[in-house]
C-alpha cells in the first residue's frame, strides 16, 4: 500500500538511528496500516507476545524495503534499512522458522511484484474501513507516558508496582527499560529475586530503586549471593539485606568484601555483632564510607565517648554511624550542657541522637517549667531519656509531665 | 477530585514559628505537608481508551476480519507513570520573623497571596512581648552576642522604667501624626486622632503605637510593644536604648509576636498542626475576619486620603515641609469656611 510505503521511508529518515528509543522497535508493537498486511494477519492472529510482534516487525520491514526499491526510493536506502535492522534486532533474525506461512507469502509477493497503489486511486468502502491508522508514536520523548500503552514490558512493570515516573528522571534509565524484553531479560531476574525471598508486593519498590539490575549478568548475581552465604549470612538475612538496600547485589564480590572488612576493622566488634549490625542496616555496605569514618572520630574526639561506649551505642542504634555531624553535635550540646546529663547516662539511651532536636528541647523546657526535669536515676521522680524522646505527645503529656495536651500547646506558644 | 481539593485551598492562616527555625524552612515545611495531604487522596478511576482491534466477526462463516471498537484500560494517567498529581503550591508569607524570634506569622495559600498584599497595604499594627535583661550590652543587642559592657542596675525601679516608656510612647505618637500626613487642623482629622485611628499609610520608620511594662523583676523585664513597620532588630535596639535611658545597659533575650493584624496566638497553628486538614479549617475560620478587617481598613484609608493636605504627593514621596505648611493653612481656611 502506497500509504505505508511512503510513510515508512519518512519515518526511518527522521529517526536518528543512533538515538536509543528507536521507532523501529516500537512500531513493531502495534498495528500497521496497509491492506496487504491484513491478509498476512489473517494467517496468524494478533498475538500479544513481544516476540511475535518483533518477528512481524522484521517481516514488514523486509517487505517495505522491497516496496521502496520498486518505488522511487533507491536501493541503497533499502540496504541501509536492512543493515540497520540487522544491527538493532540481531536476535529476531534467527527465528524465521516459526512462521513458515509468512515466508511462503513473501515469496509469492516477490513473484507477483505487485505495483504500489497510489493514494489517489479510489478504493472500496470495505478496504477503507480496514485501514488502521493510529497516530504514530513520537520518535523521542521526555516521558514514558507516551509509550506505556504500546509496550507490554512497561505495562507489566507498572502492574508489578514499579514507579516509572521516578525511574524516567534518571538519564538513560527510560531507554534501558524500553529496550528490555519481558520474556528474555526481566522474567529471569524476577524469578531470581523471588527465589531470594522477596515478596511480590516488595518487588515494585525494589525495582524502582535498582532498575539497573536488569542489565546485570545473572551469573554474577548468583555468585554474590553465594559469597554472602559463605560469610554465614542466613537466607532470611540475605533477603532482608537485599530488600532494605536494593543496590547490594549490584556490588561486586571484592567490593562487598572490602566493605565488610572495613566495618570489622573500624568498629572492632566480633564477627557475630558485625553481621547483626550489617543485617539491621545494610545501607552501611552500599553507602559512602566517609561519613562513617568522620562520625567515629566525632564520637571519640569531639563528644568524648570511650571506644567501648561507642560500640555499645552503635549496636543499639546503627543509624548513628550515618547521622549528620552538625545535628549530632547540636543534640549532644543541648543534652549534655543544658539538660546536664552525663556521658554514662547518654550511653544507656542512645535514642536521643536519633530524635529531632526541637522535640527534645520542647519537652525538656516543658518539664523544667513544671519542675519535673529530673534525669538523675539516683533521685526520686526520675525521667529516663528514652521515655522523654521516643513516646508520642499524648503519652508524654499524660504520664511523664502529668499535664494535659492543651497545657503543653499553650506552653509551646510561650516559647 | 484533585481540582476540588485545590479549589478549597485558598486563603490566609497563621502559624506559630518556634525560635531557631528560619522562616523559609517553615514555608517549605508547610508546602511539603500540604502537598503530602493533597497527593494522598484517592487517585481517579483508571482511564479507558478506544482501540480498533482486528478480529473475526462473531457468528459469521467467512474468515473475514473487521475492526471492532473496544475500550481498553490506558495506563497513561496511572499515578505510577505520571507521578504525583501536585508538585508545587503557591504559598507566600506575610511579615517575616528572624531566626531567634518566635510568634505568629501569617501565610497565604493560592489566591490568599493577593490578600497578603492587601494586608501589607492596610498597615495594621503588630503586638510583641519583648524580654529584656539589664546589666549587659552586646554588639547585636542579643543575649548571646559579643559582650561589650557590663553595668550595675540596682538603681533601676519600676517607676523610672514606666516614665521612660511613657516618653517613648509620646514621641512616637508625634511621629505617627507626622508620617500620616494628616492635616490636624480639620475637625474630622481631630476626631480620628481622638479615637486613635491615625496611622501612616505609606512607608515610615518603626513607629511604636503603645508600649508598657508587663513584669519587672530585675534583671529581667517584660515589655509589651504595639508597633508597625518594624523589624525584630529594631525592637532589640529599642531595648538597648531603654537601658541607656535608665543609665544602665540592657540586652534583649527574646522577641515574640503575639498578634499580626487580626491573627492572634489562639489562631496560630503549632508544628504538629501543619497538615492539610488543620490548615483548611484555620483558613475557613479566619476568612470572614480577614475580609471584615480589610474592608474596614479600606474605608479608613479612603477617609484619610480625603483628609490629606494638598501637599500630599503620594505613597513613595515624603512630605515636603515648606509646601505642606502653606497649603495646609490655605486648605484649613477653605475647609473651616465650609464647616461653619
Amino acid at each position: 500500500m502506497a500509504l505505508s510505503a511512503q510513510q515508512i521511508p519518512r519515518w526511518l529518515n527522521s529517526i536518528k538511528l543512533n538515538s536509543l528509543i528507536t521507532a523501529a522497535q516500537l512500531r513493531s508493537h502495534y498495528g500497521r496500516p496497509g491492506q496487504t498486511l491484513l491478509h498476512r494477519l489473517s494467517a496468524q492472529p494478533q498475538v500479544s507476545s513481544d516476540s511475535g510482534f518483533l518477528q512481524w516487525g522484521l517481516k514488514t520491514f523486509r517487505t517495505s524495503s522491497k516496496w521502496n526499491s520498486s518505488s522511487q526510493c533507491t536501493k541503497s536506502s533499502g540496504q541501509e534499512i536492512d543493515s540497520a535492522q540487522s544491527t538493532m534486532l540481531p536476535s529476531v533474525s534467527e527465528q524465521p522458522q516459526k512462521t513458515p506461512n509468512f515466508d511462503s507469502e513473501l515469496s509469492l509477493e516477490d513473484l507477483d511484484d505487485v505495483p504500489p497503489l497510489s493514494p489517489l486511486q479510489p478504493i472500496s468502502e470495505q478496504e477503507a474501513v480496514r485501514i488502521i491508522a493510529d497516530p504514530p508514536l513520537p520518535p523521542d520523548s521526555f516521558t514514558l507516558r507516551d509509550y506505556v500503552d504500546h509496550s507490554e514490558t512497561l505495562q507489566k512493570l507498572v502492574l508489578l508496582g514499579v514507579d516509572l515516573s521516578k525511574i524516567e528522571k534518571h538519564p538513560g534509565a527510560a531507554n534501558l527499560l524500553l529496550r528490555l524484553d519481558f520474556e528474555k531479560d526481566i522474567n529471569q531476574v524476577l524469578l531470581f529475586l523471588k527465589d531470594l525471598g522477596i515478596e511480590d508486593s516488595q518487588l515494585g519498590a525494589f525495582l524502582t530503586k535498582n532498575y539497573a539490575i536488569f542489565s546485570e549478568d545473572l551469573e554474577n548475581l548468583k555468585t554474590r549471593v553465594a559469597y554472602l552465604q559463605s560469610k554465614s549470612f542466613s537466607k532470611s538475612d540475605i533477603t532482608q539485606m537485599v530488600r532494605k538496600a536494593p543496590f547490594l547485589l549490584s556490588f561486586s564480590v571484592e567490593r562487598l568484601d572490602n566493605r565488610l572488612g572495613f566495618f570489622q576493622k573500624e568498629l572492632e566488634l566480633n564477627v557475630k555483632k558485625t553481621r547483626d549490625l550489617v543485617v539491621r542496616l545494610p545501607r552501611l555496605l552500599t553507602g559512602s564510607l566517609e561519613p562513617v569514618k568522620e562520625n567515629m572520630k566525632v564520637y571519640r574526639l569531639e563528644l568524648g565517648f570511650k571506644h567501648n561506649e561507642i560500640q555499645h551505642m552503635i549496636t543499639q542504634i546503627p543509624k548513628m554511624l550515618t547521622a549528620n555531624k552538625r545535628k549530632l553535635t547540636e543534640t549532644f550540646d543541648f543534652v549534655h550542657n543544658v539538660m546536664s546529663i552525663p556521658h554514662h547516662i547518654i550511653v544507656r539511651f542512645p535514642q536521643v541522637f536519633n530524635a529531632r532536636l526541637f522535640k527534645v528541647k520542647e519537652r525538656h523546657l516543658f518539664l523544667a517549667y513544671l519542675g519535673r526535669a529530673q534525669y538523675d536515676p539516683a533521685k526520686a521522680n526520675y525521667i529516663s531519656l528514652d521515655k522523654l524522646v521516643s513516646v508520642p505527645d499524648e503519652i508524654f503529656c499524660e504520664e511523664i509531665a502529668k499535664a494535659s495536651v492543651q497545657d503543653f500547646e499553650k506552653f509551646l506558644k510561650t516559647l | 477530585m484533585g481540582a476540588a481539593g485545590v479549589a478549597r485551598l485558598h486563603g490566609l492562616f497563621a502559624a506559630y514559628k518556634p525560635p531557631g527555625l528560619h522562616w523559609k524552612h517553615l514555608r517549605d515545611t508547610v508546602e511539603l505537608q500540604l502537598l503530602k495531604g493533597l497527593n494522598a487522596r484517592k487517585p481517579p478511576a483508571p482511564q479507558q481508551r478506544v482501540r480498533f482491534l482486528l478480529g473475526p466477526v462473531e457468528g459469521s462463516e467467512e474468515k473475514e476480519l473487521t475492526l471492532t471498537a473496544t475500550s481498553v484500560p490506558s495506563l497513561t494517567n496511572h499515578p505510577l507513570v505520571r507521578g504525583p498529581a501536585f508538585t508545587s503550591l503557591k504559598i507566600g508569607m506575610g511579615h517575616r520573623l528572624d531566626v531567634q524570634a518566635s510568634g505568629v506569622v501569617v501565610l497565604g495559600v493560592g489566591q490568599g497571596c493577593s490578600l497578603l498584599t492587601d494586608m501589607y497595604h492596610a498597615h495594621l499594627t503588630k503586638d510583641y512581648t519583648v524580654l529584656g535583661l539589664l546589666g549587659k550590652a552586646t554588639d547585636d543587642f542579643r543575649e548571646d552576642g559579643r559582650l561589650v559592657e557590663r553595668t550595675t542596675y540596682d538603681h533601676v525601679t519600676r517607676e523610672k522604667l514606666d516614665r521612660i516608656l511613657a516618653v517613648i510612647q509620646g514621641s512616637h505618637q508625634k511621629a505617627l501624626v507626622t508620617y500620616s500626613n494628616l492635616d490636624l487642623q480639620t475637625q474630622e482629622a481631630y476626631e480620628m486622632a481622638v479615637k486613635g485611628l491615625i496611622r501612616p499609610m505609606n512607608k515610615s520608620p518603626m513607629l511604636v503605637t503603645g508600649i508598657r511594662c508587663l513584669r519587672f523583676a530585675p534583671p529581667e523585664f517584660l515589655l509589651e510593644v504595639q508597633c508597625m513597620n518594624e523589624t525584630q532588630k529594631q525592637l532589640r535596639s529599642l531595648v538597648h536604648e531603654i537601658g541607656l535611658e535608665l543609665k544602665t545597659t540592657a540586652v534583649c533575650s527574646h522577641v515574640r509576636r503575639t498578634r499580626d493584624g487580626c491573627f492572634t496566638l489562639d489562631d496560630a497553628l503549632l508544628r504538629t498542626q501543619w497538615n492539610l486538614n488543620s490548615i483548611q479549617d484555620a483558613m475557613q475560620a479566619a476568612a470572614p475576619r480577614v475580609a471584615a478587617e480589610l474592608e474596614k481598613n479600606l474605608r479608613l484609608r479612603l477617609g484619610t486620603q480625603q483628609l490629606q493636605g494638598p501637599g500630599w504627593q503620594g505613597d513613595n514621596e515624603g512630605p515636603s515641609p515648606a509646601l505642606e505648611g502653606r497649603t495646609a493653612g490655605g486648605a484649613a481656611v477653605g475647609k473651616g469656611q465650609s464647616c461653619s
Side-chain angles (χ1 to χ4, degrees), chain B residues 85-148:
Chain B
F86 300 97
T87 45
S88 75
L89 282 175
K90 196 166 150 200
I91 299 185
M93 197 180 254
H95 299 107
R96 305 193 287 253
L97 283 170
D98 62 7
V99 182
Q100 300 85 29
S102 63
V104 176
V105 97
V106 180
L107 287 122
V109 184
Q111 304 294 332
C113 294
S114 52
L115 290 176
L116 279 178
T117 342
D118 295 338
M119 273 195 66
Y120 175 78
H121 288 305
H123 294 275
L124 300 165
T125 58
K126 302 181 209 60
D127 273 353
Y128 285 84
T129 54
V130 178
L131 189 63
L133 210 63
L134 291 168
K136 261 188 4 177
T138 55
D139 58 345
D140 56 357
F141 315 128
R142 283 177 10 212
E143 199 183 346
D144 49 356
R146 189 176 58 87
L147 191 63
V148 168

Side-chain angles (χ1 to χ4, degrees), chain B residues 148-167:
Chain B
V148 168
E149 194 183 344
R150 268 201 199 276
T151 54
T152 57
Y153 48 85
D154 313 319
H155 57 277
V156 177
T157 61
R158 179 92 194 229
E159 291 79 24
K160 285 189 190 160
L161 184 63
D162 289 336
R163 212 177 306 145
I164 286 169
L165 295 179
V167 164

Side-chain angles (χ1 to χ4, degrees), chain A residues 180-390:
Chain A
L180 292 172
D181 179 47
F182 200 84
E183 301 306 325
K184 278 195 281 301
D185 314 314
I186 302 188
N187 242 351
Q188 308 220 2
V189 173
L190 287 180
L191 288 169
F192 170 76
L193 291 174
K194 285 196 77 169
D195 279 336
L196 271 186
I198 300 183
E199 307 285 325
D200 287 347
S201 51
Q202 298 161 343
L203 275 174
F206 180 93
L207 292 172
T208 310
K209 278 274 161 68
N210 193 7
Y211 52 87
I213 202 169
F214 292 131
S215 47
E216 296 266 349
D217 208 359
L218 205 59
E219 291 311 312
N220 285 343
L221 295 175
K222 291 191 176 150
T223 322
R224 289 159 197 170
V225 173
Y227 166 76
L228 287 174
Q229 280 172 338
S230 73
K231 291 281 177 183
S232 17
F233 284 101
S234 75
K235 201 163 173 304
S236 58
D237 282 344
I238 298 180
T239 313
Q240 194 187 346
M241 283 166 71
V242 170
R243 195 172 38 87
K244 284 176 145 179
F247 287 100
L248 191 71
L249 290 179
S250 303
F251 276 52
S252 67
V253 170
E254 47 186 309
R255 211 168 167 204
L256 283 174
D257 200 29
N258 286 342
R259 278 166 184 245
L260 283 169
F262 166 80
F263 281 104
Q264 196 143 29
K265 263 194 303 243
E266 185 81 11
L267 303 178
E268 288 167 29
L269 291 168
N270 66 11
V271 181
K272 184 175 176 311
K273 283 197 179 162
T274 319
R275 215 182 304 139
D276 287 338
L277 185 85
V278 165
V279 169
R280 252 181 93 177
L281 195 66
R283 66 161 201 250
L284 285 172
L285 290 180
T286 56
S288 166
L289 297 178
E290 290 307 317
V292 178
K293 288 186 209 163
E294 211 176 350
N295 279 357
M296 290 298 289
K297 287 215 173 71
V298 163
Y299 289 125
R300 198 161 43 97
L301 301 169
E302 209 174 322
L303 306 188
F305 286 107
K306 294 195 277 278
H307 194 68
N308 57 341
E309 290 177 337
I310 302 176
Q311 282 179 331
H312 176 80
M313 286 199 291
I314 284 172
T315 40
Q316 286 210 307
I317 309 267
K319 225 167 134 179
M320 280 172 65
L321 284 170
T322 47
N324 186 347
K325 186 171 74 154
R326 187 180 49 87
K327 289 189 189 162
L328 271 181
T329 41
E330 283 175 355
T331 311
F332 181 80
D333 177 44
F334 185 78
V335 169
H336 187 58
N337 298 329
V338 176
M339 289 166 74
S340 315
I341 296 181
H343 279 86
H344 63 267
I345 298 186
I346 300 181
V347 171
R348 276 164 58 188
F349 305 110
Q351 300 93 329
V352 287
F353 290 114
N354 214 9
R356 293 259 178 274
L357 178 61
F358 69 80
K359 223 180 204 178
V360 179
K361 266 191 190 161
E362 285 169 2
R363 290 183 176 187
H364 166 70
L365 289 171
F366 187 48
L367 290 175
Y369 175 74
L370 293 173
R372 288 181 184 276
Q374 165 57 286
Y375 306 114
D376 189 358
K379 305 200 187 123
N381 293 332
Y382 159 67
I383 295 176
S384 67
L385 274 184
D386 61 343
K387 284 224 201 81
L388 179 76
V389 151
S390 319

Side-chain angles (χ1 to χ4, degrees), chain A residues 30-31 38 41-42 46 126 129-132 134 143-146 148-150 155 158-159 161-165 168 358 362 393 409 412-415, chain B residues 16 18-19 49 51-54 63-65 67 73-84 102 254 256 265-273:
Chain A
Y30 76 109
L38 299 183
L41 278 174
S42 61
Q46 271 204 348
Q126 287 173 326
V129 155
R130 286 187 203 165
I131 299 173
I132 310 171
D134 286 333
T143 171
L144 282 172
R145 285 176 73 184
D146 298 325
V148 74
D149 281 329
H150 305 285
Q155 284 170 2
V158 172
L159 292 172
V162 177
D163 195 340
L164 293 181
S165 64
E168 69 188 15
F358 69 80
E362 285 169 2
D393 271 344
E409 288 179 1
L412 286 180
K413 289 192 181 173
T414 65
L415 279 181
Chain B
Y16 188 87
R49 68 190 179 110
R51 274 197 70 185
F52 292 95
L53 297 175
L54 277 178
K63 277 169 79 175
E64 206 183 81
L65 293 169
L67 294 173
S74 159
L75 286 177
T76 315
N77 285 325
H78 194 275
L80 287 178
V81 179
R82 187 194 47 180
S102 63
H254 198 56
R256 182 169 73 109
L265 271 183
D266 299 325
D267 312 319
L269 296 177
L270 285 170
R271 202 196 293 257
T272 46
Q273 295 162 319

Side-chain angles (χ1 to χ4, degrees), chain A residues 72-91:
Chain A
Q72 298 87 19
C73 295
T74 57
K75 197 98 172 96
S76 56
S77 66
Q79 279 171 355
E80 228 177 62
I81 294 160
D82 269 340
S83 59
Q85 189 51 215
S86 56
T87 50
M88 279 186 277
L89 297 170
S91 49

